[in-house]
Amino acid sequence: MELSQLRTLIHVAELGSLSKAADRIGIAQPALSRQIRMLEEELSVRLFTRHGRGMVLTEKGREILEHATRVMTELEEIRATAADLDAPLRGRIAIGFPPTVADILSLPLVAAFGKTHPQVELRLVGAYTGHLIDWLHRGEIDVAILYDPHVARSLRTEPLLLENLFLIGPPGSGLSADRSIPFSDLDLKRILLPSTRHGLRTIVEQCAVEAGITLHIAVEADSYATLKDLVRHGHGWTILPLSPIHDDIAAGRLLAAPLTDPAPVRQLVLSYPADRPVSRLTRFAGETIADIVADQVERKIWPGQLLRKA
Amino acid sequence: MELSQLRTLIHVAELGSLSKAADRIGIAQPALSRQIRMLEEELSVRLFTRHGRGMVLTEKGREILEHATRVMTELEEIRATAADLDAPLRGRIAIGFPPTVADILSLPLVAAFGKTHPQVELRLVGAYTGHLIDWLHRGEIDVAILYDPHVARSLRTEPLLLENLFLIGPPGSGLSADRSIPFSDLDLKRILLPSTRHGLRTIVEQCAVEAGITLHIAVEADSYATLKDLVRHGHGWTILPLSPIHDDIAAGRLLAAPLTDPAPVRQLVLSYPADRPVSRLTRFAGETIADIVADQVERKIWPGQLLRKA
DNA sequence: GGGAGCCATACAATATCGTTATATCTGTTC
DNA sequence: GAACAGATATAACGATATTGTATGGCTCCC
């Protein structure tokens, strides 16, 4: 048994494919095929069942995968132990956020690091979930907040928050935070949303189906700033989390109301790569983010439901 | 880092000598010297201090040795797991539920075990969360579904579900699943609830505070059957999850409507003791419960929001 | 002072790993 | 049903890593 085999097991298990794992790891597919075969021979078990299109863990494979993941965690602890434990954290860390989350978390996060670990060089990276996942795997970022992807086995995730989405309207639209709008009321309204590849769009469309209506999507725009501007100038209504428009609401430029029947929500998770050790710096960043999120929710700056750590 | 290096670290630490470790392992002494050197270079720490006759762990080396030992333990677990026979699970398992959950999960759970592991003896234990936590700690039950306790360090929990609570009224009350009732409408109604030690009561009272009203609690009863009967006979309204009254609603004996502003919800988690190993049987039970919960939510038998595993 | 025991380094030999080529199988599309 | 695409498995070969051998240098003991 070798560490490279265990790492391969983890990647293949997540992706369901030697070829995809080869792409990700940057090693030729036959080499991974042989690694898995040699591991299976050494253990005398089948870890995967093979199909025409990919391979799936057996039950035994799943059990062994858990231990393999723990081995990776212990290796991470070895590296953490090797690092200087008493000095203030130093070095650089890249933290990924969806754009809306960056707006609300950047300042408190920078403040927290500035207070306790001023020598750390922060790199705050805003991008969509798909890109963030890629960059986590490639080691270009160390930790990310993600809107909930289908859980990737090679990412270690901690649930953070269920975030409510709100109906956003212009001044004079009569929207109020303490009066919910039934989703079905959107039936004949001009709705402005991000494009179909955007997770928020998927959630909203699912809600429309549940409400039994068809949304009239007058404009698609992936930029929240654009959506906000269009709404401000009376070109329609949009559906967004409150975090990017908190200031606009406070200033009276936009109004918001909760939606119900159904209420659109999405889950945010903290994600780390599972096949690579998480440094003390990365761990500190994750803990700090979780603390800030809890604080924002408790102070009602960020409307949603905190999720407890497993 | 390689497993061979960690093994060498362990042997050299024990024997205090590369040469003695080389004899024991059957690898040439210079090879072991280089392995230790490469490990030290990779971690940027000194693991050993060298003397004329042998070498001794540094303090840092001792800390890292602990993790290396744990890696070996996990590898042993992998081998032990691989060596397990693929016999059907057998033995006994005690599974705890809050009473409302037992109603909805017992039959499918028994069916699932009957299909795949018929020799397992199931013990399904219905009790309130406080008791279930006690029994988990004492080992009287192996796994439980709990309404979200403040996380006990000695329990390992996996979030399952956010369950919506509904306003329950008698036939003729006009309640409908597709028309939400603002919580503030409960202001002057006769409300029937469980006692103050019941978690549901706490949630409902928190919602009342948020809605700015005071509930008129006409009757306290911890038995849901009693609450249902009282509502059926027009003695008031109650607030419950749908799971225990699904059949009553289907039969027209009771009506239900969602509440909003705020919407009362509670989180269910799967809980295992953290200080005791979880058997394959227990793990299978937990996975099966999670699958059944997902199925019930997707089929809208159980209204709520699935939470993804961490 | 000499010998024994030990660690570290250089270089050669050997083993392992990754790549390329290709066969085979399964699933999808037309 | 045939053709094509996507995937895994194997063989062969070159590249790279690891181990073995030879040996130097240091410390400790007699």
Side-chain angles (χ1 to χ4, degrees):
Chain A
M1 223 173 340
E2 294 298 337
L3 291 178
S4 56
Q5 292 168 348
L6 299 182
R7 285 189 200 101
T8 296
L9 168 63
I10 290 170
H11 284 292
V12 174
E14 178 216 329
L15 295 170
S17 163
L18 284 166
S19 303
K20 287 173 182 165
D23 284 345
R24 164 146 353 128
I25 296 172
I27 288 178
Q29 172 264 321
L32 301 192
S33 178
R34 193 167 56 217
Q35 283 180 351
I36 295 298
R37 176 169 58 80
M38 289 170 68
L39 185 56
E40 286 177 327
E41 283 175 3
E42 178 173 341
L43 297 176
S44 302
V45 295
R46 273 283 168 178
L47 298 171
F48 293 93
T49 55
R50 275 77 165 165
H51 304 293
R53 292 285 184 82
M55 45 209 274
V56 172
L57 280 171
T58 60
E59 183 187 345
K60 187 72 65 181
R62 278 191 287 275
E63 296 174 31
I64 287 171
L65 177 69
E66 274 193 42
H67 293 293
T69 303
R70 287 194 199 112
V71 169
M72 297 303 142
T73 302
E74 286 303 335
L75 296 183
E76 153 198 336
E77 289 299 322
I78 288 175
R79 292 182 209 263
T81 301
D84 192 343
L85 296 172
D86 295 330
L89 295 166
R90 60 179 60 250
R92 345 171 86 231
I93 183 169
I95 304 173
F97 302 96
T100 55
V101 173
D103 290 342
I104 199 169
L105 284 190
S106 298
L107 191 60
L109 188 60
V110 169
F113 267 93
K115 199 193 305 178
T116 55
H117 300 289
Q119 280 159 334
V120 169
E121 295 177 29
L122 287 173
R123 184 168 166 238
L124 307 181
V125 180
Y128 295 115
T129 293
H131 288 125
L132 295 175
I133 292 174
D134 258 4
W135 296 341
L136 276 171
H137 285 136
R138 297 214 224 119
E140 291 179 26
I141 57 179
D142 302 289
V143 57
I145 292 184
L146 304 175
Y147 286 110
D148 195 4
H150 290 297
V151 171
R153 291 257 196 44
S154 65
L155 293 182
R156 208 155 45 70
T157 61
E158 297 173 2
L160 272 180
L161 178 68
L162 278 182
E163 183 185 44
N164 296 96
L165 304 179
F166 286 73
L167 180 63
I168 311 299
S173 61
L175 296 182
S176 167
D178 29 68
R179 194 166 61 78
S180 301
I181 304 297
F183 204 98
S184 52
D185 280 10
L186 304 185
D187 199 0
L188 295 175
K189 287 180 167 53
R190 283 170 57 89
I191 301 296
L192 319 175
L193 285 180
S195 66
T196 53
R197 67 174 175 271
H198 201 295
L200 181 147
R201 171 72 177 267
T202 305
I203 292 169
V204 169
E205 286 181 338
Q206 279 164 356
C207 287
V209 168
E210 284 184 47
I213 67 171
T214 302
L215 291 176
H216 176 212
I217 313 238
V219 176
E220 279 185 6
D222 283 344
S223 163
Y224 285 1
T226 302
L227 292 174
K228 289 198 287 181
D229 276 348
L230 290 169
V231 171
R232 276 229 337 270
H233 292 89
H235 292 290
W237 312 62
T238 191
I239 300 171
L240 294 176
L242 281 193
S243 46
I245 52 176
H246 195 264
D247 289 343
D248 296 279
I249 292 175
R253 292 191 289 272
L254 290 171
L255 299 176
L259 285 160
T260 186
D261 298 320
V265 296
R266 57 185 184 175
Q267 181 169 243
L268 283 105
V269 297
L270 256 182
S271 293
Y272 311 86
D275 67 331
R276 185 163 94 241
V278 175
S279 66
R280 280 180 64 227
L281 181 48
T282 302
R283 213 177 300 126
F284 173 82
E287 288 163 8
T288 303
I289 289 168
D291 290 345
I292 294 170
V293 166
D295 179 66
Q296 308 277 22
V297 170
E298 278 156 20
R299 297 209 267 124
K300 310 254 184 236
I301 294 172
W302 197 344
Q305 190 122 26
L306 280 176
L307 300 175
R308 296 186 191 280
K309 284 180 179 177
Chain B
M1 224 173 338
E2 295 296 339
L3 292 178
S4 57
Q5 291 168 346
L6 299 182
R7 283 188 202 104
T8 296
L9 167 64
I10 291 170
H11 286 292
V12 173
E14 179 194 335
L15 297 170
S17 160
L18 282 167
S19 304
K20 287 172 182 165
D23 283 346
R24 176 191 280 180
I25 296 174
I27 289 179
Q29 172 266 321
L32 300 193
S33 176
R34 194 170 33 236
Q35 284 179 352
I36 295 299
R37 176 169 59 83
M38 289 170 68
L39 186 57
E40 286 176 326
E41 281 175 4
E42 179 173 341
L43 297 177
S44 303
V45 295
R46 273 283 168 179
L47 298 172
F48 292 95
T49 55
R50 275 76 164 169
H51 305 293
R53 296 284 183 83
M55 46 212 276
V56 172
L57 280 171
T58 60
E59 183 181 346
K60 185 74 68 183
R62 277 192 288 277
E63 296 174 33
I64 289 173
L65 176 67
E66 275 192 43
H67 293 292
T69 303
R70 288 197 198 109
V71 169
M72 295 304 139
T73 301
E74 287 301 335
L75 296 183
E76 287 303 318
E77 288 296 322
I78 288 176
R79 291 191 185 95
T81 300
D84 267 349
L85 297 174
D86 277 337
L89 295 165
R90 58 180 61 251
R92 338 171 91 232
I93 183 169
I95 305 173
F97 303 98
T100 55
V101 174
D103 290 341
I104 199 167
L105 284 190
S106 298
L107 191 60
L109 188 60
V110 169
F113 267 93
K115 197 193 307 178
T116 56
H117 300 289
Q119 281 162 331
V120 168
E121 295 178 28
L122 287 173
R123 185 169 165 237
L124 307 180
V125 180
Y128 295 115
T129 293
H131 288 124
L132 294 175
I133 292 175
D134 257 1
W135 295 340
L136 274 171
H137 283 134
R138 295 214 224 119
E140 291 177 28
I141 57 179
D142 301 290
V143 56
I145 291 184
L146 303 176
Y147 286 110
D148 196 6
H150 291 296
V151 170
R153 288 264 193 45
S154 61
L155 293 183
R156 200 155 53 73
T157 61
E158 295 172 4
L160 271 179
L161 179 66
L162 278 181
E163 183 185 45
N164 295 96
L165 305 180
F166 287 73
L167 179 64
I168 311 299
S173 61
L175 296 183
S176 168
D178 29 67
R179 195 165 62 78
S180 301
I181 305 296
F183 205 98
S184 53
D185 282 11
L186 306 185
D187 200 1
L188 297 174
K189 287 181 166 50
R190 284 170 57 87
I191 302 295
L192 319 174
L193 286 178
S195 66
T196 53
R197 67 175 177 272
H198 202 294
L200 180 148
R201 171 72 176 266
T202 304
I203 292 169
V204 170
E205 286 181 339
Q206 278 164 356
C207 287
V209 168
E210 283 185 49
I213 65 169
T214 303
L215 290 176
H216 176 214
I217 311 239
V219 175
E220 281 184 5
D222 282 344
S223 163
Y224 286 1
T226 300
L227 292 174
K228 289 198 284 180
D229 277 348
L230 290 169
V231 172
R232 269 209 10 250
H233 292 90
H235 291 290
W237 312 62
T238 191
I239 300 170
L240 293 177
L242 281 194
S243 45
I245 55 177
H246 194 264
D247 289 342
D248 296 279
I249 291 176
R253 291 191 289 272
L254 290 170
L255 298 177
L259 285 160
T260 187
D261 296 321
V265 297
R266 57 184 183 175
Q267 181 169 242
L268 283 105
V269 298
L270 255 182
S271 293
Y272 310 86
D275 61 339
R276 188 159 93 241
V278 171
S279 67
R280 281 177 64 227
L281 181 48
T282 301
R283 211 176 304 127
F284 175 81
E287 288 165 7
T288 303
I289 288 168
D291 289 344
I292 293 170
V293 167
D295 179 65
Q296 308 279 22
V297 170
E298 278 156 21
R299 299 209 268 124
K300 312 263 186 222
I301 296 172
W302 197 344
Q305 190 119 31
L306 277 175
L307 300 174
R308 297 189 192 277
K309 282 182 181 177

